[in-house]
Amino acid sequence: MADVELTAAIKSALAEVDIPGGGDLAGYAGLSDIIVTPGAVAFAIAVAPGMEAAFGPAREQAAAVAQRVAGTRKIMVSLTGGKPPAKAGATFSHGKPVPPGKTPVPGIKHIIAVGSGKGGVGKSTTAVNIALALKAEGMRVGILDADLYGPSIPKLLGLEGQPAIRDDGIFSPHEAFGLKAMSIGSMLIKDQAVVWRGPMATSALRQLLRETDWGELDILVIDLPPGTGDIHISLFQQAEVDGVVIVSTPQDLALIDAKKAIDMLPRFQVPILGLVENMSYFIAPDTGARYDIFGSGGAEKAAASLNIPFLGSIPLVMSIRERSDAGVPPVASAPKEPEAQAFRAVARQILRNTPQIRS
Ligand code: ADP
């Protein structure tokens, strides 16, 4: 069945699902678009705050009905009680913030997220290579691509095909270079643009995070979307994040953007692990000479003025782009090269700044 036909078939089957207050789900204004990918079907049901429990049976029935129509595809149905309040992240009791419902992710001891102020600064490249560098330090590591709007982990790690789905609906992640890896990108048709409505994106994040068999991991590295948004809020509200690494290029503009990303974190009681300066200097391929093409030390100074740790600089080298495009990241495929060593140094600095991870 073509995707459009499947979408229509699911939509009309949802007429079988009764909802609280009368009527059926197909005709309900709070039903989102139905997204169909080769491996999954996803939709959300928006309900008035406080109505989540009442809609629980409708959600289960909707999932069962969708499963019947969609065959082996993974069904992702979420209930959403609307947007979190603007000052999300903490409720207050006797004047003290109380962490909202953060729950552990099965099998995962620590979470490190990688963010940036804007796109194109090498955030995903850095996330992948940091994950590999942490593995090289003896950790058991996974990577989750939470950049749902521009997933690039499948390309960076050369992942082929979709992740397997077990009988109980749990994803078996890909394995690449010793990392467990999950990305919504593996479930999309090549170059398919996905328009995620906020609640659907956060629901997809929750399922990729919690409905994946990660095994036992010391660290899950999460590649966040650039900037700040629903995905960040959703992650920081639901899981204990050990800290966020911010990637920036040396240009001032990018640093200003990075500052915005940094500013949001204290609101969620998420520690900032520090700033990585990417594409910071140029190493001539023939002579190995270093050129500080944007002037040196911009990010280091910015980190100092923001009062956050500086984690290190990554050179601008052609081979990073070439190896990334080829799905063979430098830390795994050229570990002796200076760029791989630069990522290793950043990972060691991260571990120094997070003593709880080694203990
Ligand atoms: P983001 O996740 O911030 O959007 P990417 O990691 O996708 O950025 O990187 C954007 C582009 O820049 C990619 O083509 C990547 O290969 C390239 N790139 C990233 N870091 C470097 C670097 N240090 N040297 C050369 N090219 C890089």
Side-chain angles (χ1 to χ4, degrees), residues 116 118-126 147 152 156 223 278-279 314-318 320-322 324-325 343:
S116 66
K118 62 172 195 176
V121 300
K123 169 186 54 60
S124 300
T125 307
T126 305
D147 192 351
S152 51
L156 288 169
D223 182 20
N278 187 31
M279 310 198 206
I314 309 296
L316 173 66
V317 276
M318 197 63 94
I320 292 187
R321 194 168 59 71
E322 286 165 356
S324 300
D325 283 351
F343 286 118

Side-chain angles (χ1 to χ4, degrees), residues 331-346:
V331 170
S333 62
K336 294 213 161 64
E337 295 298 317
E339 55 273 27
Q341 292 299 324
F343 286 118
R344 295 277 314 259
V346 167

Side-chain angles (χ1 to χ4, degrees), residues 204-222:
L205 168 73
R206 176 174 278 276
Q207 292 189 286
L208 291 172
L209 180 65
R210 296 185 182 277
E211 296 183 18
T212 293
D213 176 11
W214 295 107
E216 294 292 321
L217 295 182
D218 297 307
I219 305 175
L220 180 68
V221 174
I222 300 188

